[in-house]
Amino acid sequence: MNTIIYKIDPSDLDMTKIKEAGQIIADGGLVGFPTETVYGLGADAMDASASAKIYAAKGRPSDNPLIVHIADLASLTDVALDIPEAAYKLARRFWPGPLTMILNKSSRVPLGTTGGLATVAVRMPSDPVALALIKASGTYIAAPSGNISGRPSPTLAEHMIEDMSGKIEMILDGGKVGIGLESTIVDLTGPVPMILRPGYITKSMLEDVLGEVTVDAAILEENADKNFRPKAPGMKYKHYAPKGDLTVVEGEPQKVIEMINHLTGQCQECGQKAAVIATEEDLEKYQCEQVFCIGTRAHEETIAANLFDILRKMDDMGIDVIYSESFYNGGLGQAIMNRLLKAAGHQVIDADTGAHKNCL
Ligand code: AMP
Ligand code: MG
């Protein structure tokens, strides 16, 4: 299949191209498009055979449900049932934006879109290209991240082209995404709202609107039980993994630098190609030849925005072994570390002792 690639200026939408993309979705085809979180791989959410094409293109396990994207609040009752007041409160505060809500699904949403679940994940994105595409399609758009299953999520059109060229009808190139981490997912079907995936909208931002909010035990380190079954089916799969062997080093900043210098020195002796992921503040302190700047601790959004791109760059350069600083500070820290630890297969080294920890 020849994949059409259109550049779209988000501040000056070319509606002829957007309409062509919307028609592809309406006809049951696949379009890669930018959102403010990451690039999505979209299909008609209301057509099970269209959703099935997403699973095939990504190589995604069929029990890992898709997020349904809507362009206005009135559409919520088309895709969800028994909508609690909490959903409207969150929508008023955070939509359009990087928040996905889990609600009971309406009968119109096929089980092929929800991975067989009776619940549906719904989001209204804020990216103008995404909103225009949903409207132009005349339907709702099921879209997971546009990467091949298991690879880092796409934050640039180039990443989508790398993973999906030849497999889908069209990619809309809206440039680099703003946030760079997938949406926060909150489950509103239980007695207390529960975060199933951390993201740009933090627990305290949700608590501000809803009062008590819990976090799925699968996200929290202290529940590192291998048999644990997370509520968001996607959480149990290997994610974001670079080809090189990635390990996160935790501890006091100076100790982390010393430990990483020691470890990359060993790699050099063994002839392995090593790389370090560090913030701007520490770049000069590493002896390794390849040091990747992920952003600055002063603005942790920069760390979020660069993470997936850096992991892909490591692949392009054929890096064998990667050591990363950890980035727990601030409101976005939980979301960043959730993705980084998954990318590392939860391999962590304690900078003080050199001991391997295995944490969720
Ligand atoms: P992705 O957009 O690739 O990050 O994938 C969507 C994420 O939403 C996956 O982690 C899914 O498991 C999660 N998700 C989608 N629908 C549901 C649902 N009904 N209940 C719980 N999690 C869901
Ligand atoms: Mg994904």
Side-chain angles (χ1 to χ4, degrees):
M1 184 187 299
N2 175 41
T3 303
I4 300 167
I5 298 162
Y6 283 152
K7 272 206 189 313
I8 303 278
D9 179 352
S11 60
D12 182 18
L13 297 178
D14 180 337
M15 287 313 292
T16 311
K17 289 176 178 158
I18 298 272
K19 280 194 183 127
E20 199 181 322
Q23 193 58 49
I24 291 172
I25 300 277
D27 292 342
L30 299 179
V31 176
F33 64 99
T35 81
E36 70 276 25
T37 57
V38 298
Y39 272 75
L41 177 58
D44 184 352
M46 311 311 261
D47 173 355
S49 60
S51 292
K53 292 182 191 169
I54 294 179
Y55 288 94
K58 280 179 64 83
R60 184 176 176 105
S62 61
D63 66 343
N64 188 3
L66 310 174
I67 294 174
V68 177
H69 294 75
I70 60 175
D72 53 60
L73 196 51
S75 303
L76 192 57
T77 50
D78 281 345
V79 297
L81 284 182
D82 320 317
I83 303 165
E85 183 49 31
Y88 288 104
K89 282 189 186 160
L90 290 178
R92 278 195 293 273
R93 177 76 71 95
F94 299 116
W95 277 3
L99 178 69
T100 297
M101 300 187 214
I102 307 296
L103 299 163
N104 289 323
K105 85 170 189 70
S106 82
S107 58
R108 290 189 55 200
V109 181
L111 289 169
T113 295
T114 64
L117 297 175
T119 53
V120 62
V122 193
R123 178 163 103 85
M124 191 196 299
S126 66
D127 184 285
V129 180
L131 283 174
L133 176 65
I134 301 164
K135 285 183 194 147
S137 72
T139 181
Y140 307 121
I141 299 188
S145 51
N147 51 286
I148 291 171
S149 214
R151 292 208 74 201
S153 300
T155 53
L156 290 162
E158 286 74 10
H159 300 159
M160 278 238 57
I161 294 166
E162 195 173 281
D163 283 13
M164 291 298 155
S165 190
K167 294 197 237 172
I168 66 177
E169 279 81 358
M170 184 180 281
I171 294 170
L172 298 178
D173 176 354
K176 188 175 179 182
V177 301
I179 295 175
L181 298 179
E182 305 85 345
S183 58
T184 304
I185 302 181
V186 62
D187 183 359
L188 297 178
T189 63
V192 179
M194 182 188 280
I195 296 172
L196 305 187
R197 176 172 74 186
Y200 184 82
I201 308 291
T202 60
K203 181 168 185 271
S204 72
M205 288 159 84
L206 294 173
E207 281 169 341
D208 234 27
V209 178
L210 298 180
E212 190 191 1
V213 173
T214 57
V215 180
D216 187 1
I219 297 170
L220 301 170
E221 211 175 314
E222 57 266 33
N223 288 288
D225 175 354
K226 288 208 177 61
N227 299 316
F228 192 80
R229 219 184 130 64
K231 286 193 79 184
M235 302 287 287
K236 69 174 184 270
Y237 293 109
K238 193 177 169 199
H239 258 86
Y240 321 121
K243 291 176 188 138
D245 188 21
L246 169 63
T247 301
V248 179
V249 181
E250 288 183 1
E252 246 184 79
Q254 189 50 37
K255 290 267 167 63
V256 168
I257 292 160
E258 283 165 20
M259 179 56 72
I260 290 182
N261 278 334
H262 167 70
L263 292 165
T264 54
Q266 282 184 336
C267 291
Q268 212 169 5
E269 279 170 28
C270 307
Q272 286 174 310
K273 201 165 172 185
V276 176
I277 301 178
T279 51
E280 204 175 290
E281 290 79 358
D282 299 330
L283 289 182
E284 303 295 319
K285 300 173 189 157
Y286 290 101
Q287 288 144 16
C288 186
E289 221 173 273
Q290 300 293 341
V291 183
F292 286 78
C293 179
I294 193 168
T296 162
R297 287 180 192 272
H299 301 287
E300 57 174 0
E301 319 83 71
T302 58
I303 299 175
N306 290 325
L307 174 62
F308 290 140
D309 184 38
I310 281 189
L311 294 178
R312 281 179 180 258
K313 283 206 177 96
M314 305 266 183
D315 285 354
D316 296 343
M317 293 180 61
I319 304 288
D320 303 312
V321 182
I322 308 158
Y323 293 104
S324 177
E325 297 181 344
S326 54
F327 315 103
Y328 278 108
N329 296 343
L332 262 181
Q334 188 175 49
I336 294 167
M337 289 310 294
N338 171 263
R339 307 311 191 275
L340 183 63
L341 287 169
K342 275 170 173 281
H346 308 291
Q347 290 190 100
V348 177
I349 287 182
D350 183 323
D352 248 335
T353 61
H356 285 258
K357 303 197 273 184
N358 205 291
C359 68
L360 257 187

